Amino acid sequence: MPLNRATSAEINLDAFRYNLRIIKSLVGLNTETMAIIKADAYGHGAVQCARAAIEEGTKYLGVGIIQEGIELRESGITSPILILGGVYPDELTELIYYNLSTSLSTLALAKAISKEAEQSKKNISVHIKIDTGMGRLGVQCEDFSDLLEHVIGYENITIEGFFTHLANADDVDPKISQEQIVKFSNILKVIKTKKFSKLHNSNKPILIHSANSAGLLRYPESRFNLVRPGISLYGSFPSPVLKPVLDMIKNNNYPALRPVMSWKTKIIQVQTLRKGVPLSYGGSYITKKNKSRIAILPVGYADGLNRRLSNKMEFLVKGMRVKQIGTICMDMCLIDVTELPSVEMGEEVVILGSQGKDNIPIEELADKAETIPYEIFCGISKRVPRVYV
Ligand SMILES: *Cc1c(COP(=O)(O)O)cnc(C)c1O
């Protein structure tokens, strides 16, 4: 992995901490936070973000796959970590060894867990996941009671929590989310009938959770006693529907959320070309002026600059917007700096973030690439070193 490179992503951990504090103050003291740092903290660096979250008093961490949990343990993080996406039976040895908790939604996995726990004479912690309408992982509501009975029967399985996931929390129409929350609340009533509270380690509350960023921002009733913010910690929001909510929680002169990542590069060459010259693969752009000044940037789709952004996006140079032109290549792309005659090799160029008075937000890049901020963040590849400030 390159340590030093002109193309890099600057990660502002103060902004990350700020966002976390906003979320915590919004949900109040009776609701815990599980910082979601899957996919290398949405490309921001899982270990660094985990440490910052822990320093801010966050007790719980959530990741997508067991390998991400192992990475955190190997770096010395001891907080409870939930594997949101669940595990395979052949990963249970590692789950125990690294003291991780898994999401559980099938009897087959419950059996495998109990067997593995028995062999190693250890307990395994789980959060039972209920599918209330996401149509993805989780036990169906009608099968929940049966699964719960079995899991309670396995003394070496510790139930740490129950959770579900909202499918439409960022929709304008609240109907589906509200229905999911009602279904989940009904499931919680089943839990109470099981005299289940006797069966768990009573000095820790059972964690009940359903809210991702959109859920916790829009539906206080989805927060229960734990929320699972991801994208909001990185200063973005799931969809424009959230914008008014965020404007409402603005703090004096501060925005509700601060962007954490800025992505920068430096010009590697400037060409002066006559009018009519086709640029880059396929010549999708032809210079429009004599003495066109075209700057070459060492950033391309191998770095996560989506090729669909070709001829659509803008960059910041000297605080001014300039157009990206021609097809984005694997390692390079081009910008038109004809209007900026003083720009030479080595000049800083901002892909994402602010420079001078202007700013390119992640939402702008996502819109132009016809995707969501999540995918842009996750797509910024390992080749782009993360620099922490
Ligand atoms: C990714 C994820 C989250 C976080 O979602 P955001 O929209 O990024 O806040 C929460 N819960 C689960 C189960 C997830 O997979």
Side-chain angles (χ1 to χ4, degrees):
M1 226 173 296
L3 290 174
N4 245 316
R5 198 188 154 198
T7 303
S8 65
E10 214 172 84
I11 309 296
N12 182 343
L13 288 175
D14 280 344
F16 177 83
R17 287 163 186 259
Y18 172 87
N19 298 335
L20 191 52
R21 286 198 295 271
I22 293 281
I23 303 276
K24 281 177 187 284
S25 69
L26 198 68
V27 300
L29 291 174
N30 294 326
T31 301
E32 296 281 356
T33 300
M34 175 182 283
I36 303 301
I37 50 173
K38 62 192 179 192
D40 204 25
Y42 297 44
H44 293 66
V47 172
Q48 288 81 357
C49 291
R51 289 201 181 117
I54 293 162
E55 280 169 24
E56 286 298 324
T58 304
K59 278 200 205 128
Y60 302 94
L61 302 171
V63 295
I65 57 176
I66 186 169
Q67 290 74 15
E68 294 171 343
I70 294 171
E71 185 199 354
L72 296 175
R73 286 285 183 259
E74 294 268 305
S75 70
I77 287 162
T78 57
S79 311
I81 297 174
L82 174 61
I83 316 299
L84 295 164
V87 294
Y88 292 96
D90 66 2
E91 291 172 327
L92 290 170
T93 316
E94 286 186 311
L95 193 81
I96 295 181
Y97 180 78
Y98 288 101
N99 190 24
L100 302 164
S101 313
T102 181
S103 141
L104 170 66
S105 16
T106 65
L107 201 49
L109 185 66
K111 276 184 187 147
I113 289 179
S114 176
K115 203 168 137 215
E116 184 72 32
E118 196 178 310
Q119 276 168 10
S120 62
K121 302 193 169 54
K122 291 255 170 69
N123 266 37
I124 295 187
S125 300
V126 301
H127 290 228
I128 297 184
K129 180 156 200 191
I130 301 111
D131 180 10
T132 57
M134 175 74 184
R136 200 175 66 179
L137 274 189
V139 60
Q140 293 305 306
C141 291
E142 56 272 26
D143 302 327
F144 171 75
S145 190
D146 187 47
L147 177 66
L148 180 60
E149 289 284 357
H150 277 89
V151 176
I152 290 174
Y154 294 129
E155 288 187 4
N156 47 20
I157 302 183
T158 306
I159 301 176
E160 274 183 351
F162 295 94
F163 75 118
T164 191
H165 193 52
L166 302 174
N168 293 55
D170 58 344
D171 253 17
V172 182
D173 187 350
K175 189 163 161 271
I176 295 174
S177 301
Q178 286 163 350
E179 281 169 6
Q180 281 195 266
I181 295 164
V182 168
K183 268 193 178 177
F184 188 51
S185 305
N186 288 336
I187 287 286
L188 299 177
K189 287 179 198 151
V190 177
I191 298 168
K192 285 191 185 121
T193 67
K194 300 280 178 195
K195 294 208 177 64
F196 162 77
S197 53
K198 273 202 302 198
L199 291 159
H200 86 276
N201 181 351
S202 59
N203 58 19
K204 284 193 207 143
I206 292 281
L207 300 168
I208 307 288
H209 45 117
S210 79
N212 52 7
S213 298
L216 77 90
L217 288 167
R218 291 182 72 204
Y219 306 111
E221 69 275 24
S222 75
R223 293 173 190 163
F224 299 94
N225 65 2
L226 179 95
V227 291
R228 304 189 306 263
I231 195 80
S232 51
L233 301 180
Y234 310 103
S236 182
F237 43 91
S239 87
V241 173
L242 272 297
K243 195 92 177 57
V245 186
L246 290 165
D247 287 341
M248 238 171 57
I249 56 175
K250 244 190 206 170
N251 208 335
N252 300 323
N253 289 322
Y254 290 101
L257 300 171
R258 285 167 55 189
V260 176
M261 183 190 289
S262 16
W263 187 10
K264 294 173 182 173
T265 186
K266 283 180 184 153
I267 291 173
I268 199 157
Q269 189 188 342
V270 181
Q271 299 265 29
T272 303
L273 301 172
R274 62 182 165 72
K275 185 179 169 179
V277 180
L279 301 178
S280 187
Y281 288 118
S284 63
Y285 184 90
I286 293 170
T287 53
K288 294 199 165 53
K289 285 182 186 169
N290 278 324
K291 296 204 177 157
S292 284
R293 296 187 85 235
I294 308 302
I296 293 108
L297 306 180
V299 59
Y301 59 77
D303 300 297
L305 199 64
N306 197 315
R307 194 169 169 277
R308 286 200 213 159
L309 290 164
S310 297
N311 290 304
K312 283 192 199 161
M313 64 182 297
E314 293 176 335
F315 290 73
L316 298 176
V317 184
K318 291 198 181 295
M320 305 261 292
R321 282 188 176 244
V322 298
K323 286 197 161 30
Q324 189 282 323
I325 52 176
T327 302
I328 293 173
C329 312
M330 185 184 289
D331 311 314
M332 281 176 253
C333 69
L334 308 174
I335 55 176
D336 185 345
V337 291
T338 308
E339 305 304 319
L340 295 168
S342 67
V343 160
E344 296 294 347
M345 177 178 67
E347 181 76 37
E348 182 187 84
V349 178
V350 166
I351 307 161
L352 169 70
S354 59
Q355 191 190 53
K357 290 201 175 76
D358 210 340
N359 170 48
I360 296 179
I362 186 78
E363 293 79 15
E364 177 182 325
L365 277 185
D367 263 5
K368 288 185 174 168
E370 290 172 53
T371 182
I372 50 175
Y374 301 72
E375 194 186 0
I376 302 277
F377 278 144
C378 294
I380 300 176
S381 71
K382 288 274 177 235
R383 200 167 80 168
V384 179
R386 273 50 168 186
V387 180
Y388 294 86
V389 294

